[in-house]
């Protein structure tokens, strides 16, 4: 059903037949051209989320696909050029120099294929101590994904995925995990929360992937071998508390909030499509069907309400929804999910979407604009390796 937030999904569901991928490759090529044109002349700010560094990440990612050599070199040259200004800006702001999606740490993490990669890695490692001390201001929150400690761990995971080895020492990882755990325990105790680890970001107790509990727990789970058994138990208890906050296949943006159906958020940033990555990680580790079942329910809601009007991006747009299907394909091997991802890709280039979706402030942006959409289209062509950008659970 159409609402203020999403288009009606009028596609027939999977009936056992998977159409081909005709046209996706040429859409990728044309969209890359559009993005590279749009980003020309942009300044160095915005981090991986909204600046040219995110476009460079997309181009690096594209260069890993089977491509004719001249095209690969063109993409790599463009990526290097695009990273020059963000690198100059990376360490300027003390507040965000260790931030993953909105600051310096992410820019250094994006650089690993550049000639100066070793230097960038060293800069990245040196940012660890910035994340280490326990939070002095629990209400502001410095544990979340975009600018906080979980983001630093997530950047380290991204580097591990690309380089094939851990870039931080076990002591560095443990120190950051310990700071996140302490902060969550203290907040939960001080505010008398019904779960052992809780966090807030500028006074709001978010649950979703952006700024919220789910991505913090996901990072702790990703590094669970570095946690003490008692702390690991607190992480699992918090995950099980979160899974019980479900309201009919979705999760509220904030702890304790009631979802209004006609206005519900079904985004990667807030709601089921982002929280599902935590349950997927929990399933991969524990093999317990209850976590996979939660992912499948997230997928059903996303099929119903994921044709979002906020644009083509991965944060709160159609490509972000479609990534849930690629995740479910990797978890289950069921072609139904490829079919659903294909239909969402088709919708991205439909007249209905062009006419009815919000105008983009920034066309090239990785999270809200077309760079994330390109990552999705490329992953649709290689679904066995598909991963939501910068948010790996399979590493
Ligand atoms: Zn968003």
């Amino acid at each position: 059903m159409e609402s203020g937030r999403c288009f009606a999904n009028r596609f027939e569901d999977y009936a056992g037949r998977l159409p081909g991928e005709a046209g996706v490759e040429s859409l990728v090529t044309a969209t890359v051209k559009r993005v590279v044109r749009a980003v020309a002349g942009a300044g160095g700010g915005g981090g991986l989320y909204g600046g040219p560094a995110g476009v460079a990440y997309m181009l690096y990612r594209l260069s890993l696909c089977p491509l004719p050599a001249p095209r690969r070199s063109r993409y790599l040259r463009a990526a290097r050029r695009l990273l020059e200004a963000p690198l100059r800006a990376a360490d300027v702001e003390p507040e965000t120099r260790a931030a993953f999606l909105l600051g310096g740490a992410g820019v250094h993490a994006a650089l690993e294929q550049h000639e100066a990669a070793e230097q960038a890695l060293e800069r990245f490692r040196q940012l660890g101590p910035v994340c280490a001390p326990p939070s002095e201001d629990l209400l502001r929150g410095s544990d979340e994904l975009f600018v906080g400690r979980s983001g630093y761990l997530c950047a380290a995971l991204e580097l591990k995925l690309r380089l094939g080895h851990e870039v931080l020492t076990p002591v560095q990882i443990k120190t950051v995990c310990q700071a996140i755990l302490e902060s969550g325990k203290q907040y939960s105790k001080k505010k008398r929360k019904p779960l052992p680890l809780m966090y807030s970001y500028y006074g709001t107790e978010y649950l979703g992937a952006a700024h919220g509990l789910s991505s913090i727990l996901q990072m702790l789970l990703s590094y669970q071998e570095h946690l003490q058994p008692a702390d690991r138990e607190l992480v699992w208890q918090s995950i099980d508390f979160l899974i019980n906050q479900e309201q009919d296949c979705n999760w509220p943006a904030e702890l304790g909030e009631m979802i209004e159906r006609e206005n519900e958020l079904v985004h990667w940033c807030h709601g089921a499509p982002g929280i599902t990555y935590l349950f997927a990680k929990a399933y991969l580790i524990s093999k317990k069907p209850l976590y996979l079942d939660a992912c499948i329910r997230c997928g059903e809601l996303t099929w119903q309400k994921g044709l979002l009007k906020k644009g083509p991006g991965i944060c709160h747009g159609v490509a972000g929804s479609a990534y849930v299907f690629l995740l479910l394909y990797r978890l289950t091997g069921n072609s139904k999910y490829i079919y659903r991802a294909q239909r969402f890709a088709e919708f991205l280039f439909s007249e209905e979407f062009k006419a009815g979706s919000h105008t983009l402030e920034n066309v090239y942006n990785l999270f809200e604009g077309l760079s994330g959409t390109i990552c999705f289209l490329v992953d649709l062509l290689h679904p066995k390796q598909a991963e939501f950008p910068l948010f790996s659970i399979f590493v």
Side-chain angles (χ1 to χ4, degrees):
M1 198 196 302
E2 177 147 3
S3 76
R5 294 195 184 275
C6 66
F7 298 92
N9 183 350
R10 283 186 266 274
F11 290 111
E12 296 288 327
D13 206 353
Y14 184 57
R17 202 177 50 83
L18 206 53
E21 283 303 340
V24 172
E25 273 206 64
S26 54
L27 281 175
V28 168
T29 315
T31 315
V32 171
K33 269 192 190 149
R34 199 177 151 197
V35 163
V36 172
R37 248 199 322 267
V39 73
L48 285 169
Y49 185 99
V55 181
Y57 164 82
M58 175 275 286
L59 291 167
Y60 278 140
R61 198 164 151 143
L62 205 55
S63 75
L64 300 174
C65 298
L67 286 175
R71 227 169 102 200
R72 174 173 298 112
S73 318
R74 211 166 50 241
Y75 289 161
L76 287 173
R77 269 200 312 274
R80 280 171 202 147
R81 211 173 42 241
L82 283 171
L83 273 175
E84 285 167 9
L87 271 175
R88 281 196 300 272
D91 298 323
V92 174
E93 286 293 328
E95 278 272 291
T96 55
R97 70 198 165 102
F100 176 39
L101 293 181
L102 298 179
V107 173
H108 292 306
L111 195 67
E112 87 274 11
Q113 290 174 58
H114 194 273
E115 297 88 279
E118 254 321 305
Q119 204 186 335
L121 273 183
E122 206 31 59
R123 298 268 280 280
F124 177 78
R125 289 188 188 106
Q126 285 164 5
L127 292 168
V130 180
C131 303
S135 179
E136 283 165 16
D137 179 359
L138 291 171
L139 291 175
R140 188 168 68 91
S142 38
D143 297 287
E144 56 78 78
L145 185 73
F146 281 36
V147 296
R149 298 183 181 98
S150 305
Y152 187 70
L153 291 181
C154 196
L157 272 185
E158 177 66 21
L159 288 166
K160 185 178 167 188
L161 177 74
R162 296 284 162 236
L163 301 176
H165 61 83
E166 203 66 77
V167 296
L168 300 177
T169 65
V171 173
Q172 285 173 314
I173 295 169
K174 258 182 219 161
T175 310
V176 179
C177 287
Q178 212 47 50
I180 297 176
L181 285 161
E182 266 320 302
S183 174
K185 286 179 202 173
Q186 282 179 29
Y187 184 89
S188 183
K189 205 168 154 201
K190 192 172 166 190
K191 298 278 179 178
R192 298 165 189 253
K193 293 293 150 189
L195 71 169
L197 300 172
M198 190 58 210
Y199 304 85
S200 78
Y201 184 64
Y202 288 96
T204 305
E205 293 169 340
Y206 291 110
L207 295 183
H211 315 305
L213 177 67
S214 76
S215 50
I216 297 173
L217 295 176
Q218 186 182 320
M219 292 312 134
L220 290 173
L221 215 50
S222 299
Y223 284 103
Q224 53 137 7
E225 70 274 20
H226 296 276
L227 310 185
Q228 297 290 335
D231 286 334
R232 214 177 295 157
E233 188 48 37
L234 297 183
V235 173
W236 284 106
Q237 282 172 17
S238 302
I239 294 169
D240 290 342
F241 174 86
L242 184 58
I243 208 169
N244 287 323
Q245 302 308 299
E246 179 181 341
Q247 296 174 31
D248 201 9
C249 303
N250 202 3
W251 278 259
E254 294 175 36
L255 180 65
E257 192 183 44
M258 283 307 289
I259 294 177
E260 296 167 27
R261 280 298 142 195
E262 60 289 352
N263 201 28
E264 71 183 315
L265 297 175
V266 184
H267 300 168
W268 172 80
C269 49
H270 299 292
I275 291 181
T276 192
Y277 293 87
L278 168 66
F279 299 141
K281 187 75 196 174
Y283 171 67
L284 290 173
I285 292 172
S286 72
K287 300 282 180 270
K288 286 186 183 167
L290 93 147
Y291 299 121
L292 180 62
D293 291 346
C295 295
I296 290 171
R297 292 197 298 282
C298 292
E300 292 309 308
L301 176 77
T302 309
W303 176 243
Q304 298 302 326
K305 295 193 168 182
L307 292 176
L308 300 169
K309 291 184 173 175
K310 275 193 169 176
I314 55 173
C315 189
H316 35 257
V318 175
S321 303
Y323 258 116
V324 174
F325 307 134
L326 293 181
L327 170 72
L328 281 162
Y329 173 70
R330 285 199 67 176
L331 294 176
T332 66
N334 188 338
S335 305
K336 171 171 92 174
Y337 296 115
I338 300 286
Y339 171 89
R340 287 180 170 186
Q342 284 177 344
R343 302 291 70 73
F344 274 38
E346 195 179 316
F347 189 78
L348 275 166
F349 295 90
S350 69
E351 286 308 317
E352 186 182 5
F353 179 68
K354 280 180 204 159
S357 64
H358 300 187
T359 315
L360 283 179
E361 247 177 67
N362 175 331
V363 171
Y364 58 79
N365 190 311
L366 178 62
F367 272 73
E368 294 172 338
L370 289 170
S371 286
T373 317
I374 293 168
C375 293
F376 158 64
L377 293 172
V378 169
D379 277 357
L380 184 59
L381 294 170
H382 308 279
K384 289 199 164 100
Q385 287 92 44
E387 281 259 48
F388 191 97
L390 304 165
F391 205 50
S392 173
I393 61 155
F394 293 98
V395 61

